Amino acid sequence: MFRLPAILTLAIAAPALVATAPEGDLVKVQGHLQSVSSMTAGFTQTDRNNRVLTGTMTLKRPGKIRFQYQKGVPQLIIADGTSLYFIDYQVRQVERWPIGNSPLAVLLNPKRDITKFAKLMPTRSPNVVSVEVYDPRHPEYGRITMIFQRNDAAPGGLMLQGWVALDSQNNRTTIQLSNQKFNAAISDGTFRWNDPRRTGANRP
């Protein structure tokens, strides 16, 4: 079965949520995504076993993203504009998928109209907007629920706070972002990587 690393897979809203976002918020989310050409942020990843990893996320639209894990974690997730890669330098293994087959496509494709296949989810606060994106034609790709905080200083008035992931085996992973910065110049070289299958290749 097609399966992506948990950091990239489905997101669902937490239970017991009470506030309902206005329908216009879906349009605001679309506006936010279209107004972001690049983004950098720190991320904290917590898996179902409460294992916590940190790192830096760098995004450049269209089609490029890099999850650089903390020192000592020999893994890298990167999209180079065409394909999405999961690289494990410890076992010298590379997995590849078309970007369009990843839930992250919603973040990487500025032309994608999420209002056609996304829905607002209830939240605990009117200042929080939660949007679930899911393609029913390809359930194996998973879902992604993005969590935004209302912020007038952020693009479109929304600040992406992260997402919650759940894979096909119901393994839950939480991604939290910090120190978000938008629309700075980012070199395409940021999205190059060393192939561990080649002799002498260095880790990221």
Side-chain angles (χ1 to χ4, degrees):
M1 178 179 291
F2 179 93
R3 184 180 179 188
L4 287 167
I7 190 174
L8 303 180
T9 51
L10 141 68
I12 58 171
L17 305 182
V18 295
T20 302
E23 287 301 319
D25 281 342
L26 199 56
V27 176
K28 290 182 180 179
V29 170
Q30 179 74 22
H32 166 88
L33 294 173
Q34 290 180 335
S35 64
V36 173
S37 60
S38 69
M39 178 182 179
T40 60
F43 73 85
T44 300
Q45 172 187 321
T46 306
D47 66 18
R48 63 171 183 164
N49 297 317
N50 290 323
R51 182 191 181 206
V52 177
L53 297 175
T54 61
T56 302
M57 182 191 78
T58 305
L59 178 150
K60 183 177 181 179
R61 304 175 82 191
K64 298 180 177 68
I65 198 165
R66 183 184 184 105
F67 291 94
Q68 181 71 58
Y69 285 94
Q70 67 198 55
K71 186 177 180 179
V73 178
Q75 296 175 345
L76 178 67
I77 294 172
I78 199 162
D80 61 4
T82 303
S83 299
L84 178 69
Y85 299 90
F86 176 73
I87 304 125
D88 189 322
Y89 286 90
Q90 184 171 3
V91 298
R92 295 181 176 270
Q93 187 175 68
V94 176
E95 297 179 71
R96 174 187 172 275
W97 303 271
I99 289 176
N101 292 3
S102 162
L104 283 181
V106 69
L107 293 176
L108 299 178
N109 184 355
K111 296 181 180 180
R112 195 170 189 184
D113 183 1
I114 70 164
T115 62
K116 295 180 179 179
F117 53 89
K119 65 179 180 179
L120 294 167
M121 304 297 289
T123 66
R124 293 188 177 92
S125 168
N127 290 323
V128 175
V129 178
S130 177
V131 177
E132 179 188 81
V133 180
Y134 171 64
D135 186 348
R137 297 169 300 175
H138 297 284
E140 71 274 18
Y141 295 171
R143 309 170 190 248
I144 184 168
T145 298
M146 299 172 290
I147 310 298
F148 296 88
Q149 183 83 28
R150 298 187 195 278
N151 186 326
D152 291 339
L158 296 173
M159 180 74 75
L160 179 62
Q161 299 294 316
W163 57 88
V164 181
L166 187 71
D167 67 15
S168 58
Q169 281 73 44
N170 290 322
N171 296 317
R172 185 184 179 92
T173 303
T174 300
I175 306 299
Q176 294 178 309
L177 301 179
S178 61
N179 196 30
Q180 299 93 322
K181 298 179 181 179
F182 299 95
N183 298 336
I186 296 175
S187 168
D188 286 341
T190 303
F191 308 97
R192 299 191 183 106
W193 51 281
N194 296 321
D195 192 331
R197 297 166 297 186
R198 298 175 182 170
T199 302
N202 297 320
R203 294 184 179 184

